[in-house]
């Protein structure tokens, strides 16, 4: 009997562990399909260990990069400042005229109410870790459940949509990028309002699938979030159409999108602290997540 | 126990370090340090069953920091570890070049394994040649780093080995006196 156990010990261990891995994969796939999860403590430990260490490792390079960026920015800042002063004056003038027109039409009260609904608190966060394998597109950010972040919170930059938080620990959150093959969001072409689905390919480009009939899409069109998926708010920039495939006679056509966000240079992101209605349905009604450290409104930089 | 916990710690450190490195160095050019630590362990491990447990633990740790499904890296780690242990019995992987070549080959195998698993469980995988290019670069860089990482694993393994009789004597069976 001990001989038999010794002989089958390794294959048995392999079999049991492989079966366990397959079971966890299936379960995790189901959990991701439901929008993500808040990690149990024994899984969160790994993220908690990783974030401070990755912060320390990346700090010297970030410092040098920041110094260079600041220096280059400083060279342009005076000229840019003059230009922006003029622009602000122009916009203030235009804004005044619009407000006057709105007051005259009696719509100002309605718009003020809408603003309260759509202004979402944001939490700035640093990207501290990336996947080394090109097959997955996810990043680790240094804000977690302790800061009010929950699985299902959208992640953006000033340029556009970055992705979605899929798992959180106390001080870290795993974010699935738009580029990931598991990512799919509802988008519309800003110019023609043609609707479609934007999918990640696992490469540096996105795929926009739209209905050919009535779907007016041309190269250079900007695609934004439609807000229909119930995950992202409407109007966030997703990317720009760079190529449209030849229609193969089917109802659907696809276009290649260049993401609005430069994922190769992702350093700081903003976590939207309010989940979409779909995510709240999935997780139950725990109300909007507000954080004291969250900044209100869209990122200004 | 000391050996297992030391190697587990080393493996986790490699996973965390390579995640941080990837924010600085573009991912194809960033070596797969975690995989190299696993190969280094496989080269020296005796008793497959406990080694498999260690490999699975490292794989799950990696899954937690990666965008993969929980268990995806763990499953591939089981195959990689078993493959390394079997290869060590059949091939001479003591030199730098054979080890670098083996690690590079294993990295490509690992990439395709990942692609197959993701395709099966997630779907939507369309293989593109530029992926192969990126994977080959990644494999090359990983292969180059293999001897150094293996040496670190060997040192840690020797340091943590409770049984002094099993410690490496640094003898090279290939080199013979003139």
């Amino acid at each position: 009997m001990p001989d038999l156990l010794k002989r089958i010990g390794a294959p048995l261990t392999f079999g049991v562990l492989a079966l366990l891995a397959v079971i966890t994969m299936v379960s995790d796939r189901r959990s991701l399909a439901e929008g993500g999860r808040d990690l149990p403590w024994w899984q969160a430990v790994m993220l908690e260990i990783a974030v401070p260490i990755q912060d320390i490792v990346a700090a010297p390079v970030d410092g040098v990069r920041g110094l260079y960026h600041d220096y280059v920015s400083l060279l342009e800042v005076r000229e840019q400042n003059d230009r922006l002063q003029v622009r602000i004056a122009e916009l203030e003038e235009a804004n005044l005229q619009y407000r006057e027109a709105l007051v005259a039409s009696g719509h100002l009260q309605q718009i003020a109410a809408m603003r309260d609904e759509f202004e979402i608190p944001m939490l700035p966060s640093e990207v501290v870790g990336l996947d080394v394998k090109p097959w997955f597109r996810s990043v680790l950010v240094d804000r977690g459940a302790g800061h009010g972040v929950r699985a299902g919170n959208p992640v953006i930059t000033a340029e556009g949509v970055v992705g979605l938080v899929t798992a959180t620990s106390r001080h870290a959150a795993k974010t699935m990028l738009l580029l990931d093959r598991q990512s799919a969001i509802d988008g519309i072409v800003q110019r023609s309002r043609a609707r479609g689905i934007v999918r990640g390919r696992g490469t540096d480009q996105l795929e926009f699938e739209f209905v050919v009939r009535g779907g007016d899409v041309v190269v250079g069109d900007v695609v934004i979030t439609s807000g229909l998926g119930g995950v992202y708010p409407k109007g966030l920039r997703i990317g720009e159409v760079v190529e449209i495939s030849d229609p193969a006679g089917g109802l659907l056509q696809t276009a290649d999108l260049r993401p609005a966000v430069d994922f190769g240079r992702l350093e700081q992101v903003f976590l939207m602290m309010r989940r979409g209605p779909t995510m709240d349905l999935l997780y139950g009604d725990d109300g909007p997540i507000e954080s004291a450290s969250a900044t209100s409104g869209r990122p200004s930089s | 126990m000391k050996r297992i916990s030391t190697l587990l710690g080393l493996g986790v450190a490699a996973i965390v370090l390579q995640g941080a490195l990837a924010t600085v160095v573009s991912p194809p050019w960033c070596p797969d340090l975690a995989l190299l630590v696993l190969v280094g362990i496989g080269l020296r491990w005796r008793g497959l069953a406990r080694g498999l447990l260690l490999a699975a633990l490292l794989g799950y740790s990696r899954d937690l920091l990666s965008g993969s499904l929980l268990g995806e890296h763990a499953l591939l780690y089981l195959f990689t570890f078993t493959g390394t242990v079997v290869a060590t019995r059949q091939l001479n992987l003591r030199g730098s070049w054979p080890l670098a070549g083996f690690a590079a080959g294993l990295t490509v195998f690992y990439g395709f394994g990942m692609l197959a698993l993701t395709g099966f469980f997630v779907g939507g995988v369309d293989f593109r040649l530029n992926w192969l290019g990126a994977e080959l670069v990644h494999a090359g860089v990983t292969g180059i780093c293999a001897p150094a990482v293996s040496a670190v694993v060997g040192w840690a393994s020797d340091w943590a080995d409770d049984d002094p009789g099993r410690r490496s004597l640094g003898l090279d069976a290939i080199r013979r006196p003139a």
Side-chain angles (χ1 to χ4, degrees):
Chain A
M1 190 67 179
D3 274 356
L4 181 70
L5 271 179
K6 200 173 176 181
R7 210 178 309 145
I8 66 164
L12 191 68
T13 310
F14 187 96
V16 170
L17 290 172
L19 185 67
L20 192 68
V22 172
I23 290 169
T24 52
M25 266 190 277
V26 172
S27 141
D28 200 43
R29 177 75 185 110
R30 190 177 297 170
S31 151
L32 266 178
E34 289 167 0
R37 65 204 185 280
D38 292 326
L39 292 173
W41 70 267
W42 56 273
Q43 288 184 15
V45 164
M46 190 66 198
L47 265 69
E48 292 295 303
I49 295 171
V51 165
I53 297 174
Q54 292 185 333
D55 245 346
I56 291 166
V57 173
V61 179
D62 285 347
V64 173
R65 198 188 278 161
L67 270 176
Y68 175 76
H69 187 256
D70 288 350
Y71 174 71
V72 172
S73 301
L74 206 60
L75 294 177
E76 296 169 355
V77 82
R78 190 186 178 90
E79 186 193 336
Q80 199 178 38
N81 200 25
D82 292 343
R83 210 170 51 236
L84 288 175
Q85 294 281 2
V86 174
R87 186 79 185 126
I88 286 170
E90 286 171 1
L91 291 173
E92 274 178 348
E93 175 61 29
N95 194 23
L96 201 65
Q97 286 175 14
Y98 288 134
R99 286 173 75 90
E100 286 298 320
L102 284 169
V103 169
S105 64
H107 288 164
L108 197 60
Q109 291 289 335
Q110 286 173 8
I111 288 176
M114 274 172 69
R115 199 178 144 216
D116 285 345
E117 191 183 329
F118 283 103
E119 215 165 71
I120 300 170
M122 309 252 185
L123 183 66
S125 175
E126 296 287 330
V127 173
V128 292
L130 282 174
D131 259 339
V132 293
K133 288 285 175 197
W135 320 113
F136 305 111
R137 299 298 178 136
S138 74
V139 294
L140 198 63
V141 298
D142 65 351
R143 294 285 185 272
H147 305 92
V149 181
R150 298 280 182 274
N153 283 153
V155 182
I156 63 166
T157 66
E159 287 80 36
V161 182
V162 171
L164 195 73
V165 173
T166 55
T168 56
S169 68
R170 187 153 178 75
H171 297 104
K174 203 154 74 166
T175 300
M176 180 170 70
L177 302 181
L178 275 187
L179 303 173
D180 196 285
R181 268 190 299 272
Q182 297 173 75
S183 161
I185 60 175
D186 203 280
I188 49 170
V189 175
Q190 200 171 31
R191 181 184 56 81
S192 65
R193 318 311 282 178
R195 264 193 66 203
I197 303 287
V198 179
R199 288 201 174 87
R201 282 176 167 163
T203 63
D204 291 336
Q205 286 200 336
L206 300 163
E207 183 180 273
F208 180 51
E209 199 175 66
F210 57 97
V211 181
V212 176
R213 189 178 295 174
D216 172 20
V217 181
V218 295
V219 171
D221 270 343
V222 172
V223 178
I224 57 173
T225 52
S226 70
L228 287 177
V231 178
Y232 297 95
K234 187 175 181 175
L236 296 171
R237 216 176 147 97
I238 300 173
E240 187 185 317
V241 176
V242 288
E243 196 181 333
I244 300 170
S245 64
D246 292 329
L251 192 63
L252 294 173
Q253 196 173 353
T254 56
D256 291 350
L257 292 190
R258 183 175 49 232
V261 174
D262 184 355
F263 288 99
R265 293 179 182 179
L266 205 57
E267 289 175 40
Q268 194 183 44
V269 294
F270 293 89
L271 298 154
M272 297 182 97
M273 302 303 284
R274 196 180 295 161
R275 284 195 300 236
T278 305
M279 288 297 159
D280 276 340
L281 277 176
L282 284 170
Y283 289 93
D285 188 20
D286 54 358
I289 305 150
E290 308 280 345
S291 166
S293 55
T295 57
S296 186
R298 291 187 182 201
S300 57
S301 59
Chain B
M1 196 60 200
K2 183 182 168 191
R3 188 166 179 240
I4 289 181
S5 46
T6 303
L7 293 175
L8 184 64
L10 190 66
V12 171
I15 294 166
V16 173
L17 186 68
Q18 76 179 20
L21 271 180
T23 62
V24 180
V25 185
S26 173
W29 295 95
C30 185
D32 196 335
L33 297 176
L35 189 71
L36 290 178
V37 168
L38 184 73
V39 170
I41 295 170
L43 290 173
R44 290 162 183 85
W45 200 266
R46 290 171 191 83
L48 197 55
R50 283 205 299 173
L52 285 169
L53 274 174
L54 178 62
L57 276 175
L58 285 172
Y60 277 116
S61 305
R62 187 161 179 182
D63 279 318
L64 289 174
L65 284 187
S66 161
S68 58
L69 296 173
L70 188 68
E72 212 165 344
H73 280 296
L75 185 61
L76 283 172
Y77 265 42
L78 291 175
F79 281 104
T80 307
F81 180 78
T82 310
T84 308
V85 170
V86 171
T88 312
R89 289 173 188 166
Q90 306 293 327
L91 308 166
N92 174 21
L93 298 174
R94 287 180 72 90
S96 294
W97 285 109
L99 181 58
F102 177 72
L106 211 54
T107 308
V108 175
F109 157 79
Y110 197 90
F112 280 108
M114 215 80 221
L115 195 67
L117 279 178
T118 307
F120 185 75
F121 284 98
V122 179
V125 171
D126 52 339
F127 182 77
R128 285 164 189 245
L129 271 181
N130 60 344
W131 287 7
L132 184 64
E135 192 60 18
L136 287 176
V137 169
H138 185 54
V141 175
T142 304
I144 290 168
C145 297
V149 176
S150 177
V152 172
V153 175
W155 175 83
S157 176
D158 281 353
W159 175 81
D161 204 336
D162 299 321
D163 179 4
R166 274 207 314 237
R167 284 182 190 163
S168 154
L169 295 174
L171 296 177
D172 193 339
I174 302 300
R175 212 171 283 162
R176 294 169 196 282

